[in-house]
């Protein structure tokens, strides 16, 4: 029996196992930063999506005859993403929707180039 175990040629060598671990490490080094970037972009998209949902809720609110006063956030049936807050301001002719990422999950580099972002996690859109 002992002789049979010594002549066993099955299994992987140490070098083969080290090569597999190195390949997995290289793939992880490439994939993890991409996943982090996708997650960060998703946080920014959640803020923008919340603002668009509020705008749609306002359009629905004003489509009902008799709703002629400025709507408050409580008049809308909107649930915001976790970590986001919203404020409605302005007049009935110019409603400003401001959504803030209070958890600061949206990085400023994703906010650059869009005039609706202020660079501090605040997204503002106007309904005229």
């Amino acid at each position: 029996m002992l002789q049979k175990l010594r002549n066993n040629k099955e299994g992987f060598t140490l070098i083969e196992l080290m090569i597999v671990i190195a390949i997995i490490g290289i793939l992880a080094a490439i994939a993890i930063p991409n996943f982090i970037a996708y997650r960060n972009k998703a946080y920014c998209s959640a803020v923008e999506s919340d603002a668009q949902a509020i705008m749609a809720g306002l359009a629905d609110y004003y489509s009902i005859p008799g709703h002629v006063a400025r709507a408050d956030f409580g008049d809308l049936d909107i649930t915001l993403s976790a970590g986001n807050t919203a404020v409605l301001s302005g007049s009935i002719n110019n409603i400003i929707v401001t959504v803030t990422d209070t958890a600061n999950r949206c990085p400023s580099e994703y906010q650059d180039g869009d005039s609706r972002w202020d660079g501090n996690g605040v997204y503002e859109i106007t309904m005229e």
Side-chain angles (χ1 to χ4, degrees):
M1 180 72 170
L2 202 54
Q3 184 67 13
K4 187 176 182 180
L5 289 176
R6 287 185 185 150
N7 290 334
N8 188 2
K9 302 291 182 189
E10 296 178 20
F12 298 105
T13 66
L14 180 61
I15 297 209
E16 290 171 333
L17 293 174
M18 289 174 61
I19 290 172
V20 168
I21 290 175
I23 290 172
I24 291 172
I26 291 168
L27 291 175
I30 293 169
I32 289 173
N34 288 336
F35 290 136
I36 291 171
Y38 296 145
R39 185 190 64 188
N40 290 341
K41 181 64 176 160
Y43 291 141
C44 298
S45 296
V47 172
E48 293 172 0
S49 173
D50 286 345
Q52 293 299 329
I54 293 170
M55 294 297 283
L58 285 170
D60 182 50
Y61 177 81
Y62 288 119
S63 68
I64 298 171
H67 286 174
V68 293
R70 189 176 70 80
D72 290 325
F73 193 73
D75 297 329
L76 309 175
D77 188 23
I78 305 292
T79 303
L80 299 176
S81 301
N84 295 341
T85 59
V87 175
L88 298 177
S89 59
S91 66
I92 186 138
N93 296 328
N94 190 21
I95 298 175
I96 301 169
V97 177
T98 305
V99 180
T100 305
D101 178 21
T102 56
N104 292 325
R105 300 169 300 175
C106 180
S108 61
E109 61 263 14
Y110 290 103
Q111 302 172 27
D112 294 340
D114 190 343
S115 61
R116 294 172 288 195
W117 284 99
D118 76 343
N120 296 317
V122 177
Y123 184 80
E124 186 173 281
I125 192 167
T126 304
M127 179 179 192
E128 296 179 23

